[in-house]
Amino acid sequence: MDAIDAALVQFNNGQTVLVEYRQYPIARKIRKRLQSVTATTPMEEITKLDVHLGRLFADAVTRLLHTTGISQEMVVAIGCHGQTVLHKPNAPEPYSLQIGDPNLIACKTGITTVADFRRADIAAGGQGAPLAPAFHKVQFHHPEKDRVVLNIGGIANITILPADADIPVSGFDTGPGNVLMDEWISHHRNLPMDKDGNWAASGKVQHSLLTVLMNDAYFQTSPPKSTGRDYFNLVWLDSCLTQIKSRMNPEDIQATLLTLTARTIVDAILEYAPGVNEILVCGGGVHNKALISEINKNLPGYIIESTEIEGLNPDCIEAITFAWLAKCRIDGKPGNLPAVTGAKKKVVLGAVYKPGN
Ligand SMILES: Nc1ncnc2c1ncn2[C@@H]1O[C@H](COP(=O)(O)OP(=O)(O)O)[C@@H](O)[C@H]1O
Ligand SMILES: [Mg+2]
């Protein structure tokens, strides 16, 4: 929700070339409206946001193409993930909803648009998430070294890439990435993020609270599993805070949220990727120095690097992933990894929207 990530990508015989990447900030008013969407938000508000985001996404593509001087006819397709507003893959009738009307994107840009990537996987019995591991495999598999790819977005997820190509790739959402720290600092200091984790670093970890937070059933659940901002948010935090009697300073709570984020990532790696000691990090959380140093501290001897060392900007891996998934859809190839999402089979992901001109 911090920004629209727009990447122009060329796929040449298995090689991924990033032509251009831009972030277009999302106005604070819109971000606040998106953050306040819950399961009980009126349908009209969600529909208005759907249309508004569709226009913003189309504008982002138009601006990106303008920047590069590449014309719309040269682009095969737009892959648009959309903004997740609801994600409940374990409900009796599981669902995941991303908004940003793809009809508007196709119409305004004149480019075929692929969207709605998650629901085909859910229909096949999967979590609909995470979807990034399939692309991580294509991009970061190493024939001699086992690796973990760690994406720290709003939610954090890991992909475990065994060197032995016969061993299936696995991966899952570990829990909160930046989401709790972002929301807490926004609530207390009206800032969109805790730059470099400095505010968290000024506080003291509250172990009584950390214990309550870490006791959440999500962290004990075995994969396949996925989660979202509609679960890990300030309402969740409040319900944990009410279990603690003592008063705490806001910066101490921020420090505790940072530790929670780091610990749950580290625990997931130690439990599900034992012996793997190389970690490639992407997503905005890679810039949170205090967070990365806390992860480092808990994984001594590990090689922890940004995906930059593999030649890909860590901020745009997700955008590139959805360009790749759009290519899979256009080529009629499956995009999910059943071992990751829990789907019964491999399925082609996404729906195609034609500009109609
Ligand atoms: N310098 C920084 N210090 C701390 N956090 C940062 C920094 N740069 C980016 N971030 C975090 O990264 C987030 C954006 O990451 P991103 O991967 O785009 O997440 P999302 O999937 O939610 O869009 C910001 O909201 C912020 O929490
Ligand atoms: Mg972002």
Side-chain angles (χ1 to χ4, degrees):
M1 285 181 193
D2 56 308
I4 298 168
D5 295 306
L8 182 61
V9 191
Q10 205 172 28
F11 297 100
N12 302 330
N13 303 320
Q15 235 207 334
T16 307
V17 181
L18 180 66
V19 180
E20 188 59 85
Y21 165 67
R22 292 287 155 108
Q23 279 191 336
Y24 301 105
I26 296 176
R28 241 186 94 214
K29 249 173 93 178
I30 299 298
R31 189 167 65 232
K32 294 255 170 198
R33 279 171 66 190
L34 287 169
Q35 279 173 343
S36 50
V37 172
T38 67
T40 55
T41 300
M43 182 85 90
E44 190 185 17
E45 168 67 358
I46 294 186
T47 310
K48 281 181 178 167
L49 284 169
D50 180 47
V51 170
H52 191 79
L53 284 183
R55 290 186 199 287
L56 292 183
F57 294 157
D59 290 347
V61 170
T62 305
R63 287 171 69 184
L64 184 71
L65 290 182
H66 188 75
T67 306
T68 55
I70 285 173
S71 69
Q72 131 259 349
E73 296 87 34
M74 291 185 65
V75 182
V76 177
I78 295 168
C80 182
H81 174 263
Q83 178 66 50
T84 298
V85 287
L86 299 170
H87 182 72
K88 266 225 172 91
N90 297 317
E93 291 189 292
Y95 56 82
S96 187
L97 178 65
Q98 286 74 38
I99 59 171
D101 185 4
N103 294 285
L104 273 168
I105 305 172
C107 183
K108 281 176 70 89
T109 60
I111 301 169
T112 298
T113 301
V114 186
D116 191 7
F117 286 96
R118 299 196 185 271
R119 293 197 295 174
D121 184 79
I122 291 191
Q127 294 273 314
L131 297 180
F135 177 69
H136 292 165
K137 179 180 168 186
V138 168
Q139 198 62 41
F140 300 120
H141 171 263
H142 192 286
E144 276 128 40
K145 293 187 284 191
D146 297 337
R147 283 176 159 172
V148 166
V149 181
L150 166 63
N151 171 40
I152 314 175
I155 296 295
N157 61 273
I158 58 169
T159 302
I160 302 158
L161 296 172
D164 181 348
D166 292 334
I167 304 174
V169 169
S170 54
F172 56 92
D173 289 348
T174 59
N178 305 300
V179 59
L180 296 172
M181 295 182 285
D182 281 357
E183 290 196 11
W184 188 248
I185 199 165
S186 161
H187 179 69
H188 274 275
R189 302 188 61 192
N190 213 8
L191 295 169
M193 71 164 91
D194 183 1
K195 187 127 200 302
D196 301 339
N198 285 334
W199 192 45
S202 76
K204 257 190 78 184
V205 175
Q206 301 294 300
H207 289 278
S208 55
L209 174 61
L210 184 61
T211 305
V212 172
L213 299 174
M214 299 229 3
N215 266 338
D216 188 276
Y218 184 80
F219 304 121
Q220 272 80 54
T221 305
S222 313
K225 61 176 178 176
S226 62
T227 188
R229 292 166 176 275
D230 53 337
Y231 184 74
F232 287 111
N233 52 33
L234 289 190
V235 177
W236 177 80
L237 177 60
D238 258 345
S239 72
C240 296
L241 283 170
T242 55
Q243 296 176 47
I244 309 283
K245 295 282 171 297
S246 54
R247 277 187 58 84
M248 284 173 277
N249 296 324
E251 66 271 25
D252 293 347
I253 293 178
Q254 186 76 346
T256 310
L257 294 175
L258 182 142
T259 303
L260 168 79
T261 306
R263 288 280 171 85
T264 50
I265 288 170
V266 166
D267 287 354
I269 292 171
L270 291 174
E271 185 170 356
Y272 291 98
V276 183
N277 71 352
E278 184 174 320
I279 302 175
L280 290 173
V281 191
C282 58
V286 73
H287 306 296
N288 185 327
K289 294 195 177 74
L291 178 67
I292 297 297
S293 106
E294 182 65 22
I295 293 172
N296 252 307
K297 203 177 85 193
N298 287 283
L299 293 172
Y302 278 61
I303 303 161
I304 303 178
E305 298 275 9
S306 154
T307 55
E308 199 72 71
I309 65 150
E310 289 286 312
L312 276 189
N313 178 338
D315 293 317
C316 56
I317 302 285
E318 276 209 299
I320 299 173
T321 298
F322 284 89
W324 181 80
L325 284 168
K327 175 173 162 52
C328 292
R329 177 65 185 83
I330 298 291
D331 294 345
K333 292 189 178 140
N336 65 336
L337 294 177
V340 171
T341 64
K344 291 191 183 65
K345 55 180 181 185
K346 285 187 168 185
V347 284
V348 177
L349 304 176
V352 181
Y353 296 75
K354 295 274 181 189
N357 47 2

